[in-house]
Amino acid sequence: MSIKFKKFIPRPGLVNKQGRLPDPSELVCIEVPKVFDQCLIKRCLTYGAGPDTDTTDCELRSNPLINPKRYISSRNFKITLIDVDKIPIGNSPGFKKIILNYLITFYADFIDYDGLTRSEFFEINRTDIIGKFYCPDSVSQATTSLDDDLCDNNLIKLEMVADVLRGDLLTDKNGDEVLDITLGYYIVVKCELLVQLLIPAYDYCPNIRIACEDEPEEDPCEVFEKAPVPKFYPDQNLEPLFPDCDSSDDNDLN
């Protein structure tokens, strides 16, 4: 049985008990991007001279470095969608062939023989083709008061998780020391269309009455004194000496 609305405080949270929410106060119409289709691009790329392939990229080699000693790690991965071509598929309404041109950038850090940490900036230009992707055109056309041109409600969105799997310092054919990168990444390609959705709502979110708190500075020695004594040895990787007891074992003992 749902509780009465007067006893309900609308706020974000987990719905952990079914049937305990009151009836919504209204149905509202909101305008949001809705995902119509999505797919995954998974790549593991190494350096390779010549045209790019599904496994190689000519931009995964750095410029000549000065006295590099050891590769450390990479950071600040970003993806930028450069342009999109959407080619309709004649016998499949709403489906299109998608040609994506995007740019992945990141920094690779290494240590030189003077003990200094240096960074090399990488820009990886890629093109991927999705043979069949459901990306229907909007039936209605929209415009805004800020621009007289019609707005394109159909959006292609990219979301990426990337990491450098390996960094190799080596000498190229010209005798220069360079850094070769092995890059692994996942990209979720989404087709979004701006639509109006009807959803149940309770009210506006309540005003926050709790003041923001400042984190007090603590004396590091006091923090040290309060901390538990650390383990001096790692956990042992041991197997049980005897199998787990079951009912038959208990009967045998009796």
Side-chain angles (χ1 to χ4, degrees), residues 2-16 20-25 201-210:
S2 62
I3 63 175
K4 294 182 178 180
F5 188 79
K6 291 182 179 180
K7 296 182 179 180
F8 175 65
I9 302 175
R11 66 185 187 278
L14 293 175
V15 183
N16 56 342
R20 299 299 295 271
L21 291 173
D23 293 333
S25 59
Y202 290 100
D203 203 344
Y204 294 109
C205 290
N207 293 328
I208 303 300
R209 298 181 178 88
I210 301 176

Side-chain angles (χ1 to χ4, degrees), residues 35-145:
V35 178
F36 277 75
D37 199 1
Q38 59 184 350
C39 65
L40 177 68
I41 296 174
K42 180 181 179 181
R43 295 280 184 266
C44 182
L45 304 178
T46 58
Y47 169 76
D52 296 341
T53 68
D54 286 346
T55 58
T56 64
D57 195 291
C58 64
E59 295 171 307
L60 286 174
R61 170 166 287 182
S62 71
N63 295 319
L65 306 177
I66 301 176
N67 295 326
K69 181 179 180 181
R70 184 175 68 253
Y71 166 76
I72 305 175
S73 62
S74 296
R75 55 186 169 83
N76 292 10
F77 293 91
K78 295 181 181 180
I79 184 169
T80 303
L81 183 59
I82 305 300
D83 60 67
V84 180
D85 290 330
K86 294 177 282 189
I87 304 171
I89 300 177
N91 58 351
S92 300
F95 285 88
K96 294 180 175 66
K97 178 181 179 181
I98 305 296
I99 303 176
L100 301 171
N101 293 297
Y102 56 91
L103 175 69
I104 298 175
T105 60
F106 61 92
Y107 288 91
D109 297 333
F110 64 95
I111 295 178
D112 64 15
Y113 276 94
D114 293 327
L116 300 177
T117 300
R118 301 187 180 276
S119 299
E120 185 73 7
F121 183 63
F122 283 82
E123 290 185 326
I124 313 301
N125 289 275
R126 297 291 299 178
T127 298
D128 275 297
I129 299 175
I130 304 173
K132 191 175 183 180
F133 198 57
Y134 185 59
C135 198
D137 294 323
S138 176
V139 176
S140 64
Q141 298 296 322
T143 186
T144 66
S145 59

Side-chain angles (χ1 to χ4, degrees), residues 27-34 193-201:
L27 295 176
V28 297
C29 184
I30 63 172
E31 192 173 69
V32 293
K34 180 181 178 181
L193 188 64
L194 196 63
V195 301
Q196 290 183 350
L197 290 182
L198 188 66
I199 64 169

